[in-house]
Amino acid sequence: MSTDDKNRAIAAAILPLVGGAGNITSVAHCMTRLRLGLRDRSLVQDEALKALPSVMGVVEDDTYQIVLGPGTVARVTPEFEALVAEGAAAAPVHTADDLAAQGAAIKAAQKAKNATPFKLFLRKIANIFVPLIPSLIGCGIIAGLNGLLINLGWLPGVTPALAAIASGFMALIAVFVGYNTAKEFGGTAILGGAVAAIIVYAGVAKIEVFGQALSPGQGGVLGALGAAVLAVYVEKWCRRWVPESLDVLVTPTLTVLISGLVTIFGLMFVAGEVSQAIGDFANWLLENAGAGAGFLLGGLFLPLVMLGLHQALIPIHTTLIEQQGYTVLLPILAMAGAGQVGAAMAVYLKLPRNGSIRRTIKSALPAGFLGVGEPLIYGVSLPLGRPFITACVGGAFGGGFIGLFNMLGDKVGSTAIGPSGWALFPLLDGNKGLGETIAIYAGGLLVGYLVGFVATYFWGFSRELIEEFDVDTEAVAPPEPVAAGGPTAGTAGTPEPVKV
């Protein structure tokens, strides 16, 4: 079977288990999950989905999320969208009653979602920055390669070109943020980009605000975000009041003019001060309380992810990368995944007779080492309960290790967001040599692995938990399909993954 056929087969297997094409209201994906909007949640067959070999787990948030893993999800999503489109074309809506029924189902599903206004706002912010991650990763790796070539004195004729390639995106990132912001908040995307472009225009250096000359890029991504949101509200106001015959001329002109003036004479200055404060606070925190701050950040990151609050960190990471060239927070937060890996290895040894769970761990560990923790979280530690907590302890000690070196003056940062675990090595940067930075990060991973393993092995299991799970599953029931990296199928008494 070709790769395209395989991806279409995965999509075809998933579609009927989520209620068919008629039950899908939206399709999107992030780095690891297929995110679906559903008309009727009751039509989803959770257990059958989890039993598919390609499905690592499911998560219910403001959308129904099916964990497929990095790479796979990006290839399956277009196939899934095509199948949904084919199904919709085969069964079109004909009557007003049908439309009314669909509207009622959508309203009921929306009401049933466990989403607060604050969480929905954070989701919007995340949707602005997540599409930028591939460019951040690509440019970050090129920047790291260029730095290595410069330090070695190799290819001096090529390094300026690599510098331009690596820096071009970051020089204009405010424009992309503005574009995505306007799109996410319901405005015309290109108008958001046009207003945000003012921030990086070199000519703003000739303008004085509050007695100070502006600097190109002042305010950065936060200024671009604020400018684009303002542009959306101005545009919507214009759409309401400007006559249709003049709309095409007046609305874009007023949107750019009003938002641009406010951006130049207010937002750039204010956002610049806020951005500077974020950078200063991050540096102060790690320089003065690095070990303690790292311990808390590394230990609490996974609970923040489950609550959806980690999305608030995305603009902070991006601001730090824009200001300093790297974010010092991401390597610390990456230690949470190291704790999960250590805990999973301990679970493997503590349950020698449970072949089903051990197979799940063996299949999920490679992804865990590369920073993809969902298979281990939703397939191993979280369903078991206490091992999830001891895994967080491992992450806390790993974060504290890196934070300690920040206190000692050795900053460890990442030039991009998204990757974690071993996948973060090509993106590492800091204020010392690359070798020293890599060594500190590797040391943090080892501490996270070790403490996660020890804490789980000695304190992660009660006697009752051992008795319940350390059983020969092959002797209890015939083998059933196991969702790779997902909850163990066919294991008597295995609890469901916690839905967040």
Side-chain angles (χ1 to χ4, degrees):
M1 181 183 295
S2 68
T3 301
D4 290 342
D5 290 341
K6 178 182 178 182
N7 294 327
R8 190 170 182 85
I10 293 173
I14 292 173
L15 184 57
L17 301 181
V18 293
N23 196 38
I24 306 299
T25 61
S26 65
V27 180
H29 75 88
C30 61
M31 292 186 68
T32 59
R33 304 178 186 181
L34 175 64
R35 299 171 181 261
L36 304 178
L38 302 174
R39 289 193 171 87
D40 186 354
R41 171 64 180 83
S42 66
L43 297 180
V44 178
Q45 302 176 44
D46 293 294
E47 296 305 318
L49 267 176
K50 296 171 190 175
L52 293 177
S54 55
V55 174
M56 298 176 179
V58 298
V59 180
E60 188 168 356
D61 200 340
D62 59 325
T63 55
Y64 190 82
Q65 302 170 15
I66 302 171
V67 183
L68 299 176
T72 301
V73 70
R75 292 172 174 81
V76 170
T77 300
E79 300 292 345
F80 189 86
E81 290 175 325
L83 290 175
V84 170
E86 292 171 8
V93 176
H94 293 292
T95 67
D97 289 341
D98 290 331
L99 287 175
Q102 287 189 9
I106 294 172
K107 183 177 180 179
Q110 185 70 28
K111 188 176 179 179
K113 290 176 181 176
N114 181 23
T116 65
F118 178 66
K119 189 174 179 181
L120 292 175
F121 173 75
L122 292 181
R123 172 73 66 184
K124 281 184 175 290
I125 299 300
N127 289 342
I128 293 167
F129 289 92
V130 167
L132 306 179
I133 289 177
S135 291
L136 286 169
I137 294 173
C139 294
I141 291 176
I142 293 171
L145 174 62
N146 192 51
L148 180 62
L149 292 175
I150 291 174
N151 290 335
L152 295 174
W154 293 355
L155 303 176
V158 176
T159 51
L162 292 178
I165 294 170
S167 303
F169 173 75
M170 288 305 301
L172 297 175
I173 190 173
V175 179
F176 296 102
V177 169
Y179 183 95
N180 287 347
T181 300
K183 181 179 179 180
E184 185 65 27
F185 280 82
T188 301
I190 198 65
L191 291 179
V195 174
I198 298 168
I199 292 174
V200 296
Y201 174 56
V204 297
K206 301 176 182 178
I207 304 172
E208 287 193 3
V209 177
F210 303 122
Q212 300 179 18
L214 293 176
S215 301
Q218 185 173 338
V221 296
L222 297 183
L225 193 155
V229 170
L230 175 62
V232 169
Y233 282 100
V234 172
E235 180 189 0
K236 289 182 177 179
W237 182 87
C238 290
R239 300 289 184 201
R240 286 198 301 269
W241 295 103
V242 174
E244 289 188 14
S245 59
L246 299 176
D247 182 71
V248 70
L249 296 175
V250 175
T251 297
T253 303
L254 288 180
T255 298
V256 175
L257 178 62
I258 296 173
S259 304
L261 289 172
V262 175
T263 298
I264 291 172
F265 292 104
L267 279 177
M268 284 185 67
F269 180 83
V270 173
E273 294 298 308
V274 173
S275 298
Q276 187 63 46
I278 289 174
D280 291 343
F281 178 74
N283 290 331
W284 176 87
L285 182 66
L286 293 179
E287 288 170 1
N288 294 276
F295 188 90
L296 289 175
L297 289 171
L300 296 178
F301 182 62
L302 287 181
L304 287 177
V305 170
M306 297 185 64
L307 293 172
L309 299 177
H310 67 297
Q311 295 162 355
L313 295 170
I314 295 177
I316 295 176
H317 286 312
T318 309
T319 297
L320 291 175
I321 292 171
E322 190 178 36
Q323 282 184 347
Q324 305 174 7
Y326 52 81
T327 168
V328 292
L329 299 179
L330 185 59
I332 291 175
L333 300 177
M335 296 301 106
Q340 289 292 327
V341 169
M345 290 189 287
V347 172
Y348 186 88
L349 293 181
K350 291 290 285 187
L351 303 178
R353 293 193 292 168
N354 194 319
S356 181
I357 290 181
R358 285 164 69 92
R359 282 195 302 272
T360 297
I361 294 173
K362 286 173 67 176
S363 66
L365 270 179
F369 280 115
L370 292 174
V372 182
E374 288 175 316
L376 291 176
I377 296 170
Y378 293 106
V380 181
S381 65
L382 191 58
L384 291 174
R386 193 183 294 183
F388 178 78
I389 298 173
T390 52
C392 291
V393 172
F397 275 88
F401 179 88
I402 294 182
L404 175 62
F405 277 91
N406 274 276
M407 286 182 65
L408 299 176
D410 295 306
K411 292 184 179 180
V412 178
S414 169
T415 58
I417 57 178
S420 183
W422 292 2
L424 198 62
F425 278 112
L427 296 168
L428 291 177
D429 197 2
N431 62 338
K432 298 294 178 68
L434 182 60
E436 188 173 342
T437 301
I438 290 175
I440 294 172
Y441 180 72
L445 288 177
L446 290 175
V447 170
Y449 296 153
L450 180 61
V451 175
F453 176 88
V454 171
T456 304
Y457 191 86
F458 289 103
W459 297 286
F461 285 86
S462 63
R463 179 176 298 177
E464 293 77 12
L465 201 62
I466 290 289
E467 291 176 352
E468 180 179 357
F469 285 96
D470 190 22
V471 295
D472 187 352
T473 55
E474 309 299 333
V476 173
E480 295 180 11
V482 177
T488 303
T491 301
T494 303
E496 297 294 335
V498 175
K499 296 188 188 318
V500 292

